[in-house]
Amino acid sequence: MKARQDPSRAVGHLGLLGGAPHARRPGGYLETMDSATIRERFLSFFGERDHMRIPSSSLVPDDPTLLLTNAGMIQFKPYFSGEQRPPSRRAITVQKCFRTPDIDEVGKTTRHLTFFEMLGNFSFGDYYKADACPWGWELVTERWGVDPDRLWVTIFETDDEARAIWIDGVGVRPERIVPRSREHNFWDMGVAGPCGPSSEIFVDLGDAFGEPSKYGPGEDEARYVEIYNLVFMQNNCNAAIEPVAELPQKNIDTGAGLERTAFVLQNASSIYDTDLLLGMVHTAEDLTQRTYGRDARTDMSLRVLADHGRGTAFLIADGVLPSNKERGYVLRRVMRRAVRHARLLGRAEPVLPALVDSAITLMGDAYPELEGSRDLIVEVAAREEERFGAALKQGVTLLETGIADTQSSGAPSLPGEVAFRLHDTFGFPVELTTELAGEAGVPVDVAGFESLMAGQRARARAARTTEHAEPRRDLFEPLLEEHGATDFLGYEHLITHARIIGIFDGAEGVPAASEGDEVDIVLDRTAFYAEGGGQVGDRGVIQNTSGAAAVTDTRRFVPGLTAHDVTMRSGELKVGDEVEAIADPVWRLGSQRAHTATHILHWILQNRLGEHARQAGSLVEPGRLRFDFSHFDALGDAQVADVSAELQERVSIDDPVRAFETSLDFAKSIGAMAIFGEKYGDFVRVVEVGAYSKELCGGTHVPHTSSVGVVVVTGESSVGANLRRIEALVGHEGLHYLERRAATLERAAGLLKTSPDEVAERVERLLTTQKDMERRLAEVERAAAAAEAATLAHSAVELDGSRLVVARRDEGVDALRSLAQMLKGRLGSSVIVFGTASSGKANLVGAVSKDLTALGLSARDLLAPGAALLGGGAGGKPELAVSGGPSSDRLSDAMEAVERAARDALLAK
Ligand code: SER
């Protein structure tokens, strides 16, 4: 859908629509500047200062610790630390960003967005504060033309250097410089990584946005808005987001939200009134038949639609699909919130497909990935809306009842169970419930909700866990402290000599284990692979001359420490014993085959379906693999067959499978796939299949793909919204599967007296013949029924101008019902009664013609005395009724009773 070109609604005029709650800002700039010019002036300003233009990176960051790209610097992380060399030490970008903390604010305010574009100039160990501050000032005042008198600057409270540069180097008046604390003027990514003190340039929007303040942005961020943020990237933050170290070099990371800048430079009354968002607002108006700028509540919903529609299109284009986890959940929340606001505005038909379509049209030139995925984006939007739309209404009813109950009972909050039910049955993200209840002034017991969710997860886990009792984690920690991590030798060896450093019987450490005991043994070194990355743990034996244990599984209850689940077969093993630990080679090779096949499958799916087809979970065990991935649709038989064929083809090529250790950053730079949510250290292991698949993986693999042997995809199914599962059999299991299939085919061929090659054709012929016969049989049955009806019509008794048929026919109720109808048609004014009995149950079927029902006769009433005798009740309509009961031995009496009732009724009419 194209945005309307309505000149009366051009930028800057919207606040004049009348009755608007928007404050209209007085002018103050020489010109208003469209967003293309803002972008262009920024790029040329820094281009002239030798900055290299780098394209925006994906919204899905190449960083497993981060949900979504939330700033321009994300793609440059390794350049700030100096670990990797940038292509140029000065760079500029226009970066797609998505911020999640404020989703619920979006729409309510005139400034919040989820998706936005960020302009940024960067220095990687090149220029620093003394250049960055004056350049930022020059950009804002000269290229963008903001009156310097309107500007304020904030600095980190201890940053005297920045203060001096602003005053002496730039000429900012000291009273316009506001020192602020860590909370405001120290920038981090929200996760571990580079961070640093910041300094921002703010613009005073004028009196229409509030009273002036002596402290400017130090007190008020509505009248004073940030337009340009400079981060002096000089520290590294730990996981607790505390700056712990200095980076080896000093860097500059700046950011200016394009929409925010347009809001200021276009003299607009809100971010939504800029040329960047107005097109989307118009689409939302068109879809809902509402006008923006007349009513605050309507405006809020229109803004939600505008922003969320854009965000949805961009997230899907970068491979995110709606789900209940991680970034898929962010997308789902945004989509469902938009649908709800459309319904609030009275739009019952779908909105998301049209909204995303419009976003693609409006922004497709600058972001070709949108155009490239148009069909996919629209399709995903349509399906999600369909999925949620149906449940929304019922959910809202449930919620309204919950809110009313809460209010009338005086309870402090909406019970967690209501939020849980809304989530579980109606797909309401809890944030949506909170927002809706909040509108009615009712808080939600989110803690109660969370605990119900945790309970559900625990039940699901319990259903999955094996019988072997889990030892307590805290038992293992002292061992880890004393002996360090288990030395894993299993990439090269299957057999090791080792020492037993601990034995645990579930609840506690024990000195020894003897025949029959089921315990966990910890060794100082092992070749046993501990379950991880989807690959099952190894099996085998641990033994010495005094005892032997069968290892049934190998796991890590605490990171770094491998525990062997064993059953003692003979003798005794003690802590301190020297033992031989032998991993079962057949079991291990089976796992390796399946694991390598899984990597190849992952690559094929990404290659065929797109980047969104990412691994969501996997199980790799000897002979079998199960691979879950994000995708919005079933693959279909042909596609599954193609994937299976390519898998076998790639396996058959004798590609080497190599593994090497390297830094996380290097691994990412060569495109190694990381699994979201997995924790990786600075050093990682990369597994490479041929020259195509590269994954971060600690698992074990075959050395050459041909060792996988046979791999056959046996099924493709859904395991959740937008989550598909492929199952395959590998090695001998794959071969046996094919053999079984072949044998079944042979058997079928034998039965059909033909060769396997001819089976399909023969079956097709048989099916055609069968259809033909069914058709003929139906004809015969129809004719027989007609004949039957004729015979019965003959037996009809005439009573006062109407006819009565009472007959016993031991047929199914359905057949009798149609026979009665047919007979009624034939006889005209009539009453028809059939009785039938089979296996301890009897039924009566009664039919009465229309002229008689008009006189008050009713099949239901006529059957009633009979039904009572059969021990059942009567039901049905006056024209046609069926009743029945267990006393089949009384069927004749029942029929007589009905006949009497019918006669009386016909004679009395
Ligand atoms: N990283 C900083 C921000 O996002 C500056 O780009 O605001």
Side-chain angles (χ1 to χ4, degrees):
M1 182 189 295
K2 279 244 180 293
R4 275 196 317 229
Q5 299 296 317
D6 178 353
S8 72
R9 300 206 291 180
V11 175
H13 291 272
L14 213 90
L16 299 176
L17 280 172
H22 311 288
R24 189 163 154 70
R25 196 145 38 85
Y29 310 110
L30 293 176
E31 51 182 336
T32 64
M33 201 179 283
D34 65 25
S35 53
T37 310
I38 296 171
R39 201 190 274 120
E40 181 37 47
R41 291 196 180 180
F42 166 80
L43 293 172
S44 58
F45 180 82
F46 286 104
E48 288 155 21
R49 285 159 184 76
D50 296 330
H51 287 64
M52 181 191 261
R53 171 96 195 254
I54 307 231
S56 169
S57 61
S58 165
L59 282 175
V60 175
D62 190 7
D63 179 340
T65 61
L66 202 63
L67 210 52
L68 292 164
T69 299
N70 60 3
M73 52 72 64
I74 302 296
Q75 64 167 322
F76 301 133
K77 240 172 74 178
Y79 300 157
F80 290 123
S81 57
E83 271 167 68
Q84 261 181 50
R85 271 170 63 105
S88 157
R89 287 165 46 127
R90 297 179 177 194
I92 30 176
T93 54
V94 181
Q95 173 66 48
K96 298 183 277 189
C97 295
F98 201 100
R99 286 196 182 170
T100 52
D102 298 325
I103 293 180
D104 297 338
E105 284 303 305
V106 172
K108 289 185 191 152
T109 73
T110 53
R111 296 196 315 274
H112 281 95
L113 294 171
T114 55
F115 172 83
F116 63 99
E117 295 172 81
M118 188 182 272
L119 309 172
N121 57 287
F122 302 90
S123 152
F124 310 119
D126 191 53
Y127 62 87
Y128 202 48
K129 292 181 192 179
D131 289 313
C133 296
W135 283 346
W137 188 267
E138 198 180 332
L139 168 75
V140 173
T141 56
E142 288 176 25
R143 290 293 163 102
W144 286 344
V146 183
D147 180 352
D149 266 352
R150 296 182 156 241
L151 298 185
W152 289 66
V153 167
T154 63
I155 54 166
F156 183 47
E157 53 201 359
T158 55
D159 196 349
D160 296 335
E161 190 188 355
R163 165 184 275 279
I165 293 170
W166 286 119
I167 296 174
D168 304 330
V170 180
V172 179
R173 297 203 302 273
E175 66 273 21
R176 285 289 177 93
I177 299 177
V178 184
R180 298 202 299 179
S181 63
R182 163 89 173 81
E183 187 197 343
H184 288 106
N185 276 60
F186 194 96
W187 202 87
D188 58 64
M189 295 156 52
V191 295
C195 57
S198 70
S199 179
E200 301 148 306
I201 301 179
F202 276 73
V203 182
D204 179 356
L205 297 182
D207 293 342
F209 283 77
E211 295 293 309
S213 158
K214 195 170 155 218
Y215 305 104
E219 192 171 64
D220 172 7
E221 286 205 30
R223 171 174 171 140
Y224 303 88
V225 297
E226 176 204 324
I227 185 170
Y228 184 80
N229 183 18
L230 284 131
V231 181
F232 310 125
M233 279 293 179
Q234 56 188 37
N235 303 102
N236 216 348
C237 276
N238 63 10
I241 331 265
E242 290 153 353
V244 279
E246 296 263 309
L247 290 170
Q249 62 188 35
K250 296 203 185 317
N251 312 281
I252 291 291
D253 153 33
T254 74
L258 180 60
E259 293 78 358
R260 183 81 69 95
T261 308
F263 163 48
V264 172
L265 298 187
Q266 291 173 6
N267 194 23
S269 43
S270 91
I271 223 166
Y272 291 88
D273 297 299
T274 63
D275 61 345
L276 288 157
L277 267 307
L278 207 51
M280 285 303 291
V281 172
H282 290 339
T283 305
E285 286 183 299
D286 288 344
L287 286 169
T288 55
Q289 297 296 304
R290 298 294 183 111
T291 307
Y292 184 59
R294 294 217 170 129
D295 159 75
R297 285 186 76 91
T298 304
D299 285 357
M300 169 181 171
S301 295
L302 290 171
R303 287 195 288 258
V304 167
L305 293 175
D307 170 85
H308 290 8
R310 230 166 58 126
T312 298
F314 274 94
L315 284 176
I316 301 173
D318 279 347
V320 182
L321 291 176
S323 75
N324 281 336
K325 266 172 51 187
E326 295 143 8
R327 42 181 88 97
Y329 182 64
V330 173
L331 174 59
R332 170 159 283 173
R333 262 178 77 187
V334 164
M335 293 170 100
R336 296 192 168 188
R337 189 164 181 259
V339 171
R340 186 246 157 184
H341 277 277
R343 302 292 183 272
L344 261 188
L345 294 184
R347 163 94 182 182
E349 295 80 41
V351 285
L352 287 181
L355 275 177
V356 294
D357 198 57
S358 170
I360 298 167
T361 304
L362 291 168
M363 305 202 64
D365 285 344
Y367 296 95
E369 65 270 30
L370 290 173
E371 275 300 349
S373 307
R374 189 186 281 268
D375 292 348
L376 172 88
I377 297 169
V378 173
E379 171 88 25
V380 171
R383 281 169 188 252
E384 179 67 9
E385 183 158 6
E386 203 177 294
R387 192 173 279 144
F388 181 56
L392 178 62
K393 219 167 151 184
Q394 286 166 286
V396 167
T397 311
L398 173 71
L399 179 59
E400 279 166 357
T401 315
I403 290 173
D405 290 351
T406 309
Q407 283 167 333
S408 63
S409 71
S413 55
L414 185 83
E417 295 92 69
V418 178
F420 179 72
R421 213 170 134 220
L422 280 167
H423 176 276
D424 207 40
T425 316
F426 300 107
F428 274 46
V430 66
E431 296 81 0
L432 182 59
T433 303
T434 312
E435 190 180 344
L436 290 169
E439 283 165 16
V442 174
V444 175
D445 174 12
V446 177
F449 166 82
E450 293 295 354
S451 99
L452 288 167
M453 287 295 287
Q456 190 185 50
R457 279 194 292 269
R459 282 193 298 282
R461 253 198 322 275
R464 281 197 305 267
T465 45
T466 52
E467 11 9 285
H468 197 95
E470 291 238 339
R472 292 191 350 241
R473 282 173 63 93
D474 55 354
L475 293 177
F476 290 97
E477 268 146 15
L479 208 60
L480 188 62
E481 255 164 49
E482 190 184 338
H483 297 273
T486 315
D487 206 0
F488 178 60
L489 306 170
Y491 291 131
E492 294 90 24
H493 304 280
L494 288 173
I495 304 176
T496 48
H497 291 280
R499 197 160 50 82
I500 297 182
I501 59 171
I503 303 180
F504 299 89
D505 78 350
E508 56 185 359
V510 289
S514 48
E515 196 172 323
D517 288 350
E518 289 187 2
V519 292
D520 281 281
I521 293 185
V522 181
L523 304 174
D524 59 348
R525 55 204 324 240
T526 186
F528 281 70
Y529 178 80
E531 178 192 331
Q535 181 178 334
V536 295
D538 275 344
R539 295 181 175 182
V541 287
I542 295 176
Q543 62 189 19
N544 63 15
T545 46
S546 59
V551 179
T552 52
D553 200 357
T554 309
R555 295 186 284 175
R556 282 204 185 109
F557 299 111
V558 288
L561 206 71
T562 300
H564 306 77
D565 299 354
V566 307
T567 305
M568 287 297 297
R569 290 276 173 251
S570 62
E572 189 190 59
L573 290 174
K574 298 189 302 298
V575 174
D577 274 5
E578 297 292 332
V579 291
E580 195 181 32
I582 308 166
D584 178 343
V586 177
W587 180 264
R588 164 65 85 75
L589 181 59
S591 299
Q592 299 192 160
R593 285 187 168 125
H595 205 155
T596 303
T598 305
H599 281 214
I600 302 176
L601 174 63
H602 191 185
W603 185 87
I604 293 174
L605 291 171
Q606 289 240 318
N607 195 35
R608 282 176 179 259
L609 306 177
E611 267 185 50
H612 66 272
R614 285 198 195 89
Q615 170 167 344
S618 73
L619 172 73
V620 171
E621 61 182 29
R624 194 163 83 88
L625 71 89
R626 199 176 73 198
F627 186 76
D628 296 345
F629 60 102
S630 329
H631 190 54
F632 53 89
D633 204 0
L635 256 49
D637 291 348
Q639 213 165 6
V640 172
D642 285 350
V643 168
S644 191
E646 182 175 352
L647 195 49
Q648 182 62 52
E649 204 173 298
R650 289 189 174 271
V651 154
S652 312
I653 301 169
D654 206 18
D655 273 324
V657 182
R658 296 189 316 127
F660 56 90
E661 290 206 338
T662 181
S663 71
L664 180 58
D665 289 325
F666 179 75
K668 282 198 234 140
S669 75
I670 58 167
M673 268 191 285
I675 310 295
F676 181 78
E678 291 271 316
K679 289 206 173 51
Y680 298 104
D682 290 341
F683 268 83
V684 291
R685 188 166 178 268
V686 177
V687 173
E688 207 177 22
V689 181
Y692 56 98
S693 151
K694 292 182 189 68
E695 276 192 44
L696 300 192
C697 174
T700 65
H701 288 264
V702 293
H704 284 87
T705 56
S706 59
S707 317
V708 173
V710 177
V711 48
V712 200
V713 174
T714 53
E716 193 268 347
S717 57
S718 163
V719 279
N722 295 319
L723 211 54
R724 311 293 310 174
R725 168 170 293 175
I726 281 189
E727 289 173 87
L729 293 173
V730 186
H732 296 302
E733 277 74 1
L735 195 60
H736 292 156
Y737 173 84
L738 293 177
E739 282 168 358
R740 279 197 306 278
R741 284 277 155 124
T744 309
L745 188 61
E746 286 288 350
R747 216 173 122 232
L751 290 171
L752 292 166
K753 305 218 178 335
T754 184
S755 70
D757 287 343
E758 308 278 317
V759 164
E761 204 181 305
R762 179 61 68 90
V763 170
E764 262 168 22
R765 278 213 303 273
L766 278 177
L767 287 174
T768 316
T769 317
Q770 187 192 342
K771 267 210 191 92
D772 197 39
M773 285 167 69
E774 278 167 0
R775 192 176 42 76
R776 281 204 245 162
L777 183 62
E779 272 167 23
V780 171
E781 278 174 351
R782 263 197 302 280
E788 215 177 333
T791 317
L792 284 165
H794 245 69
S795 71
V797 188
E798 173 130 8
L799 288 168
D800 195 16
S802 303
R803 306 220 228 155
L804 173 66
V805 175
V806 179
R808 171 155 180 171
R809 305 190 66 81
D810 288 335
E811 291 175 36
V813 167
D814 286 344
L816 292 180
R817 222 192 253 128
S818 38
L819 187 59
Q821 295 282 43
M822 188 189 292
L823 204 54
K824 202 161 74 170
R826 209 173 238 272
L827 294 176
S829 177
S830 55
V831 173
I832 294 130
V833 179
F834 292 132
T836 172
S838 66
S839 54
K841 187 171 172 3
N843 285 102
L844 294 165
V845 175
V848 175
S849 59
K850 264 215 167 66
D851 60 315
L852 296 178
T853 59
L855 295 176
L857 266 71
S858 155
R860 192 179 45 212
D861 297 345
L862 295 180
L863 294 191
L869 290 171
L870 294 178
K877 299 199 190 104
E879 305 83 54
L880 187 70
V882 178
S883 67
S887 316
S888 52
D889 52 334
R890 308 216 50 195
L891 182 59
S892 330
D893 296 344
M895 289 176 66
E896 263 171 39
V898 176
E899 184 172 358
R900 263 199 308 280
R903 276 176 185 274
D904 293 350
L906 285 172
L907 292 172
K909 74 176 191 272

